[in-house]
Amino acid sequence: MPPSATVDTSKTVKLERYNSYLRKIHSTKVLNASSKVLFRATMLVALVLLLLFAFNYHPLSDSRAAASHHLHRRSFLSTGIFSSSSSSSAWEKRVRQSSTAKRQHGLSVLVTGAAGFVGSHCSIALRKRGDGVLGFDNFNDYYDTSLKRARQNLLEKQQVFIVEGDLNDGPLLRKLFDIVPFTHVLHLAAQAGVRYAMKNPQSYISSNIAGLVNLLEVAKAANPQPAIVWASSSSVYGLNTENPFSEEHRTDQPASLYAATKKAGEEIAHTYNHIYGLSLTGLRFFTVYGPWGRPDMAYFFFTKAILHGKSIDIYRTQDNQEVARDFTYIDDIVKGCVGALDTAEKSTGSGRKKRGPAQLRVYNLGNTSPVPVGRLVSILEGLLGTKAKKHLIKMPRNGDVPYTHANVSLAYRDFGYKPTTDLATGLRKFVKWYVGYYGIQPRVKKENSHADDSA
């Protein structure tokens, strides 16, 4: 073969090898580029899924996280109400209609905790006399929410609208004060219960302290500033041993976290009165009972247990004395709340500044007649026609106090507060409501015709 032919073949082979090498490099680059694109796409999808998971997941076992999720959800819903012009207009119309008084010189009252026991009764009483009433409630699940919804239905029949929201939702509260120039606030929303504080202490801080401060922050900036009547508690007397309990007695020895938050509320009220001129009246309720009451209260769950044949624990003090309470019927409490509202002076602040001395008051609202818990059980046994299975035990150290007794002379002097319902009469009305509401047919004593059920 000629030398030239050999040279040509060698060149061809080398050229093919070179082209093959270039193809491999190109394929590798394409593969690497594809891998990078795929990796980045995978990471993007994972990030999106993670964000969705984070926004929608809240651990059921963590009550604080659940409460936070609930609040953020409420804020989102309230923001959503305002974002749509048509729904916002309809919502604002309901707020205004409910808040408008139907009598000359009537009050315009924001009632927090309106779906609660005392709140619902006060809202109905105010509305029936012609005042404007706007309710506010978060419908939490501390006890059966269906009972709160049933109270809401009662209020709707009286044309009282309840805004569903949380006290710590500042934008929602400010929106309400922008829409309505409230003359008064009846602040009854709170985390109630002495023993529950041992299970969920954060709920008391969030509602009874942070919620109160948030409401006062909004009220101080309102124009005009409203006069505020709010629910403190007889629990503030704590370990006080002087009887009957007077507003002048010491309240610096709380026996429970609940009591401590209410005492803190009284000090916070003093601060906002002193700095911003808010008119503030605190009401120390003594063991309120009656129709539409709270299921966590002794008279309520005693009734349920007796009807179901279950035993009930009756506490005795460490020195084997009977525990007694100053049980106060709901209608008497309502009269006290309305009296405090009617005698509340105007706040004196404007532009977030105090312009003059403002009213600051604290009152006991009780029945003035302490009754042993054993006597309460005896009355229920007679009304229900069933003997209770009683279990006598020493009072645990869970925040309860052995004895309460209200001195109400100050409330009587300033707005004529005078309780008129004894325990037997009040429990008769409660039992009548209870068996009717829950559809129970016990051997209940007939109620006197004059003892009408309360609204």
Side-chain angles (χ1 to χ4, degrees), residues 14-26:
K14 289 180 179 179
L15 183 60
E16 287 178 355
R17 288 177 179 174
Y18 181 71
N19 288 335
S20 177
Y21 172 73
L22 290 178
R23 285 195 297 271
K24 287 181 179 179
I25 292 176
H26 179 69

Side-chain angles (χ1 to χ4, degrees), residues 31-47:
L31 181 60
N32 288 340
S34 300
S35 298
K36 289 180 179 179
V37 171
L38 181 61
F39 174 78
R40 289 171 179 170
T42 302
M43 290 298 293
L44 181 61
V45 171
L47 182 60

